Coordinates of all heavy atoms in Angstrom, one line a residue:
D1 N -7.8 10.1 -14.9 CA -6.8 9.1 -15.3 C -6.9 7.8 -14.4 O -6.7 6.7 -14.9 CB -5.4 9.7 -15.3 CG -5.1 10.6 -16.5 OD1 -5.9 10.5 -17.4 OD2 -4.2 11.4 -16.4
D2 N -7.0 8.1 -13.1 CA -7.1 7.0 -12.1 C -8.4 6.1 -12.4 O -8.3 4.9 -12.4 CB -7.2 7.5 -10.7 CG -5.8 8.1 -10.3 OD1 -4.8 7.9 -11.0 OD2 -5.8 8.8 -9.2
I3 N -9.5 6.8 -12.6 CA -10.8 6.1 -12.9 C -10.7 5.3 -14.2 O -11.1 4.1 -14.2 CB -11.9 7.1 -13.0 CG1 -12.2 7.8 -11.6 CG2 -13.2 6.4 -13.5 CD1 -13.1 9.0 -11.7
K4 N -10.1 5.9 -15.2 CA -9.9 5.2 -16.5 C -9.0 4.0 -16.3 O -9.4 2.9 -16.8 CB -9.2 6.2 -17.5 CG -8.9 5.6 -18.8 CD -8.4 6.7 -19.7 CE -7.3 6.1 -20.7 NZ -6.7 7.2 -21.4
A5 N -7.9 4.1 -15.6 CA -7.0 2.9 -15.4 C -7.8 1.8 -14.6 O -7.7 0.6 -15.0 CB -5.8 3.4 -14.6
E6 N -8.5 2.2 -13.6 CA -9.2 1.2 -12.8 C -10.3 0.5 -13.6 O -10.5 -0.7 -13.6 CB -9.8 1.8 -11.5 CG -10.3 0.7 -10.5 CD -10.8 1.3 -9.2 OE1 -10.6 2.5 -9.0 OE2 -11.4 0.6 -8.4
W7 N -11.1 1.4 -14.3 CA -12.2 0.9 -15.2 C -11.7 -0.2 -16.2 O -12.3 -1.2 -16.4 CB -12.8 2.0 -15.9 CG -14.0 1.7 -16.8 CD1 -14.0 1.4 -18.1 CD2 -15.4 1.6 -16.4 NE1 -15.2 1.2 -18.6 CE2 -16.1 1.3 -17.6 CE3 -16.0 1.8 -15.2 CZ2 -17.5 1.1 -17.5 CZ3 -17.4 1.6 -15.2 CH2 -18.1 1.3 -16.3
N8 N -10.6 0.1 -16.8 CA -10.0 -0.7 -17.9 C -9.4 -2.0 -17.3 O -9.6 -3.1 -17.8 CB -9.1 0.0 -18.8 CG -9.8 0.9 -19.8 OD1 -10.2 0.4 -20.8 ND2 -10.0 2.2 -19.4
T9 N -8.6 -1.8 -16.2 CA -7.9 -3.0 -15.6 C -8.9 -4.0 -15.1 O -8.9 -5.2 -15.4 CB -7.0 -2.6 -14.5 OG1 -6.1 -1.6 -15.0 CG2 -6.1 -3.7 -14.0
K10 N -9.8 -3.5 -14.3 CA -10.8 -4.4 -13.7 C -11.8 -4.9 -14.7 O -12.2 -6.1 -14.6 CB -11.6 -3.7 -12.5 CG -10.8 -3.5 -11.3 CD -11.6 -2.8 -10.2 CE -10.7 -2.8 -8.9 NZ -11.4 -2.1 -7.8
G11 N -12.1 -4.1 -15.7 CA -13.1 -4.5 -16.7 C -12.6 -5.6 -17.6 O -13.2 -6.6 -17.8
S12 N -11.3 -5.5 -18.1 CA -10.8 -6.5 -19.0 C -10.5 -7.8 -18.2 O -10.7 -8.9 -18.7 CB -9.5 -6.0 -19.7 OG -8.6 -5.6 -18.8
R13 N -10.1 -7.7 -16.9 CA -9.9 -8.9 -16.1 C -11.3 -9.7 -15.9 O -11.3 -10.9 -16.1 CB -9.3 -8.6 -14.7 CG -8.9 -9.8 -13.9 CD -8.4 -9.4 -12.5 NE -7.4 -8.4 -12.6 CZ -7.3 -7.4 -11.7 NH1 -8.2 -7.2 -10.8 NH2 -6.4 -6.5 -11.8
Y14 N -12.3 -8.9 -15.5 CA -13.6 -9.5 -15.3 C -14.1 -10.2 -16.6 O -14.6 -11.3 -16.6 CB -14.6 -8.4 -14.9 CG -16.1 -8.8 -15.0 CD1 -16.6 -9.7 -14.1 CD2 -16.9 -8.2 -15.9 CE1 -17.9 -10.1 -14.2 CE2 -18.2 -8.6 -16.0 CZ -18.7 -9.5 -15.2 OH -20.1 -9.9 -15.3
V15 N -14.0 -9.5 -17.7 CA -14.5 -10.1 -19.0 C -13.7 -11.3 -19.4 O -14.3 -12.3 -19.8 CB -14.5 -9.0 -20.1 CG1 -14.7 -9.6 -21.5 CG2 -15.6 -7.9 -19.8
S16 N -12.4 -11.3 -19.2 CA -11.6 -12.4 -19.5 C -12.0 -13.6 -18.6 O -12.1 -14.8 -19.1 CB -10.1 -12.1 -19.2 OG -9.3 -13.2 -19.3
D17 N -12.3 -13.4 -17.3 CA -12.7 -14.5 -16.4 C -14.0 -15.0 -16.8 O -14.2 -16.3 -16.8 CB -12.7 -14.0 -15.0 CG -11.3 -13.7 -14.4 OD1 -10.3 -14.1 -15.1 OD2 -11.2 -13.0 -13.4
I18 N -15.0 -14.1 -17.2 CA -16.3 -14.6 -17.6 C -16.2 -15.4 -18.9 O -16.8 -16.5 -19.0 CB -17.2 -13.4 -17.9 CG1 -17.7 -12.8 -16.5 CG2 -18.4 -13.8 -18.7 CD1 -19.0 -13.5 -15.9
N19 N -15.4 -14.9 -19.9 CA -15.3 -15.6 -21.1 C -14.7 -17.0 -20.9 O -15.1 -18.0 -21.6 CB -14.5 -14.8 -22.1 CG -15.3 -13.7 -22.8 OD1 -16.5 -13.8 -23.0 ND2 -14.7 -12.6 -23.2
K20 N -13.7 -17.1 -20.0 CA -13.1 -18.4 -19.7 C -14.1 -19.4 -19.1 O -14.2 -20.6 -19.4 CB -11.9 -18.3 -18.8 CG -10.7 -17.8 -19.5 CD -9.5 -17.5 -18.5 CE -8.4 -16.8 -19.1 NZ -7.5 -16.1 -18.1
M21 N -15.0 -18.8 -18.2 CA -16.0 -19.6 -17.5 C -17.0 -20.1 -18.6 O -17.4 -21.3 -18.6 CB -16.7 -18.8 -16.5 CG -17.8 -19.6 -15.7 SD -18.7 -18.5 -14.5 CE -19.8 -17.6 -15.6
V22 N -17.4 -19.2 -19.5 CA -18.4 -19.6 -20.5 C -17.8 -20.7 -21.4 O -18.5 -21.7 -21.8 CB -18.8 -18.4 -21.4 CG1 -19.6 -18.8 -22.6 CG2 -19.7 -17.5 -20.5
E23 N -16.5 -20.5 -21.8 CA -15.9 -21.5 -22.7 C -15.8 -22.9 -22.0 O -16.1 -23.9 -22.5 CB -14.5 -21.1 -23.0 CG -13.8 -22.0 -24.0 CD -12.4 -21.5 -24.3 OE1 -11.9 -20.6 -23.7 OE2 -11.8 -22.2 -25.2
F24 N -15.5 -22.9 -20.6 CA -15.5 -24.1 -19.9 C -16.9 -24.8 -19.8 O -17.0 -25.9 -20.1 CB -15.0 -23.8 -18.5 CG -14.9 -25.1 -17.6 CD1 -13.8 -25.8 -17.5 CD2 -16.1 -25.6 -16.9 CE1 -13.7 -27.0 -16.8 CE2 -16.0 -26.7 -16.2 CZ -14.9 -27.5 -16.1
G25 N -17.9 -23.9 -19.5 CA -19.2 -24.5 -19.4 C -19.7 -25.1 -20.7 O -20.4 -26.1 -20.7
E26 N -19.4 -24.4 -21.8 CA -19.9 -24.9 -23.1 C -19.1 -26.1 -23.6 O -19.7 -26.9 -24.3 CB -19.8 -23.7 -24.2 CG -20.9 -22.6 -23.9 CD -21.1 -21.7 -25.1 OE1 -20.2 -21.6 -25.9 OE2 -22.2 -21.1 -25.1
T27 N -17.9 -26.2 -23.2 CA -17.0 -27.3 -23.6 C -17.3 -28.5 -22.7 O -17.4 -29.7 -23.2 CB -15.5 -26.9 -23.6 OG1 -15.4 -25.7 -24.3 CG2 -14.7 -28.0 -24.2
N28 N -17.3 -28.3 -21.4 CA -17.3 -29.4 -20.5 C -18.7 -29.7 -19.8 O -18.8 -30.6 -19.0 CB -16.3 -29.2 -19.4 CG -14.9 -29.0 -20.0 OD1 -14.4 -29.9 -20.7 ND2 -14.3 -27.8 -19.7
G29 N -19.6 -28.8 -20.0 CA -20.9 -28.9 -19.3 C -20.9 -28.0 -18.1 O -20.0 -28.1 -17.3
W30 N -22.0 -27.3 -17.9 CA -22.1 -26.3 -16.8 C -22.1 -27.0 -15.5 O -21.6 -26.5 -14.4 CB -23.3 -25.4 -16.9 CG -23.1 -24.4 -18.0 CD1 -23.7 -24.4 -19.3 CD2 -22.4 -23.2 -17.9 NE1 -23.2 -23.3 -20.0 CE2 -22.4 -22.6 -19.2 CE3 -21.6 -22.6 -16.9 CZ2 -21.8 -21.4 -19.5 CZ3 -20.9 -21.4 -17.2 CH2 -21.0 -20.8 -18.5
E31 N -22.6 -28.3 -15.4 CA -22.6 -29.0 -14.2 C -21.2 -29.3 -13.6 O -21.0 -29.6 -12.4 CB -23.5 -30.3 -14.3 CG -22.8 -31.4 -15.2 CD -23.0 -31.1 -16.7 OE1 -23.6 -30.1 -17.1 OE2 -22.6 -32.0 -17.5
N32 N -20.2 -29.2 -14.5 CA -18.8 -29.5 -14.1 C -18.1 -28.2 -13.6 O -16.9 -28.3 -13.2 CB -18.1 -30.2 -15.2 CG -18.7 -31.6 -15.5 OD1 -18.9 -32.3 -14.6 ND2 -19.0 -31.8 -16.8
W33 N -18.7 -27.1 -13.8 CA -18.0 -25.8 -13.4 C -18.1 -25.7 -11.8 O -19.2 -25.7 -11.3 CB -18.7 -24.6 -14.0 CG -18.2 -23.3 -13.4 CD1 -18.9 -22.5 -12.5 CD2 -17.0 -22.7 -13.7 NE1 -18.1 -21.4 -12.3 CE2 -16.9 -21.5 -13.0 CE3 -15.9 -23.0 -14.6 CZ2 -15.9 -20.6 -13.0 CZ3 -14.8 -22.1 -14.6 CH2 -14.8 -20.9 -13.9
K34 N -17.0 -25.7 -11.2 CA -16.9 -25.7 -9.7 C -16.4 -24.3 -9.2 O -16.4 -24.1 -8.0 CB -16.0 -26.8 -9.2 CG -16.5 -28.2 -9.6 CD -17.9 -28.6 -8.9 CE -18.2 -30.0 -9.2 NZ -19.2 -30.1 -10.3
G35 N -16.0 -23.5 -10.1 CA -15.4 -22.2 -9.7 C -16.5 -21.2 -9.3 O -17.7 -21.4 -9.4
K36 N -16.1 -20.1 -8.7 CA -17.0 -19.0 -8.4 C -17.3 -18.2 -9.6 O -16.4 -18.1 -10.5 CB -16.4 -18.1 -7.3 CG -16.6 -18.6 -5.9 CD -15.8 -17.8 -4.9 CE -16.3 -16.3 -4.8 NZ -15.5 -15.5 -3.8
E37 N -18.5 -17.6 -9.7 CA -18.8 -16.7 -10.8 C -18.0 -15.4 -10.6 O -18.1 -14.8 -9.6 CB -20.3 -16.5 -10.9 CG -20.6 -15.6 -12.1 CD -22.0 -15.8 -12.6 OE1 -22.6 -16.8 -12.4 OE2 -22.5 -14.9 -13.3
P38 N -17.3 -14.9 -11.7 CA -16.5 -13.7 -11.5 C -17.5 -12.5 -11.2 O -18.6 -12.5 -11.7 CB -15.9 -13.5 -12.9 CG -15.9 -14.9 -13.5 CD -17.1 -15.6 -13.0
E39 N -16.9 -11.5 -10.5 CA -17.7 -10.3 -10.2 C -17.1 -9.1 -10.9 O -15.9 -9.0 -10.9 CB -17.8 -10.1 -8.7 CG -18.7 -11.0 -7.9 CD -18.7 -10.7 -6.4 OE1 -19.1 -9.6 -6.0 OE2 -18.1 -11.5 -5.7
D40 N -18.0 -8.2 -11.4 CA -17.5 -6.9 -11.9 C -17.5 -6.0 -10.7 O -18.5 -5.6 -10.2 CB -18.5 -6.5 -13.0 CG -18.0 -5.3 -13.8 OD1 -17.2 -4.5 -13.2 OD2 -18.3 -5.1 -15.0
K41 N -16.3 -5.6 -10.3 CA -16.1 -4.8 -9.1 C -15.9 -3.3 -9.4 O -15.0 -2.6 -8.9 CB -15.0 -5.3 -8.3 CG -15.3 -6.7 -7.8 CD -14.2 -7.3 -6.9 CE -14.6 -8.6 -6.4 NZ -13.6 -9.3 -5.7
R42 N -16.8 -2.7 -10.3 CA -16.6 -1.3 -10.7 C -17.8 -0.5 -10.4 O -17.9 0.7 -10.9 CB -16.4 -1.3 -12.2 CG -15.0 -1.9 -12.6 CD -14.8 -1.8 -14.1 NE -15.7 -2.7 -14.8 CZ -15.9 -2.8 -16.1 NH1 -15.2 -1.9 -16.9 NH2 -16.7 -3.6 -16.7
D43 N -18.7 -0.9 -9.5 CA -19.9 -0.2 -9.2 C -19.6 1.2 -8.7 O -20.3 2.2 -9.0 CB -20.7 -0.9 -8.1 CG -21.5 -2.1 -8.7 OD1 -21.2 -2.4 -9.8 OD2 -22.3 -2.7 -8.0
H44 N -18.5 1.3 -7.9 CA -18.1 2.6 -7.2 C -17.6 3.6 -8.3 O -17.6 4.8 -8.0 CB -17.1 2.4 -6.2 CG -15.8 1.8 -6.7 ND1 -15.7 0.5 -7.2 CD2 -14.6 2.4 -6.9 CE1 -14.5 0.3 -7.6 NE2 -13.7 1.4 -7.4
L45 N -17.3 3.2 -9.5 CA -16.9 4.1 -10.5 C -18.0 4.6 -11.4 O -17.8 5.6 -12.2 CB -15.8 3.4 -11.4 CG -14.6 2.8 -10.8 CD1 -13.8 2.0 -11.8 CD2 -13.8 3.9 -10.1
A46 N -19.2 4.0 -11.3 CA -20.2 4.2 -12.3 C -20.7 5.7 -12.3 O -20.9 6.2 -13.4 CB -21.4 3.3 -12.0

């Protein structure tokens, strides 16, 4: 249950952040993206 909760919480947050970054890059040009690239922090659960 703990693994499932962490997998889903971190996974959906990571994907949401990536999708926002892609939307920004495609709308405004990648050269204007100044943020950090999101990281998927679930390696320890694999």
Side-chain angles (χ1 to χ4, degrees):
D1 284 344
D2 290 346
I3 292 164
K4 176 176 145 187
E6 189 177 353
W7 182 266
N8 281 278
T9 306
K10 287 184 173 173
S12 57
R13 187 186 308 140
Y14 165 70
V15 166
S16 171
D17 290 347
I18 283 273
N19 281 330
K20 282 176 190 158
M21 181 183 77
V22 168
E23 186 181 6
F24 180 93
E26 290 196 336
T27 307
N28 304 300
W30 286 102
E31 67 279 4
N32 295 311
W33 171 258
K34 300 293 185 260
K36 276 173 61 179
E37 183 156 335
E39 281 180 68
D40 192 330
K41 297 182 174 171
R42 292 178 290 170
D43 286 9
H44 62 290
L45 303 174

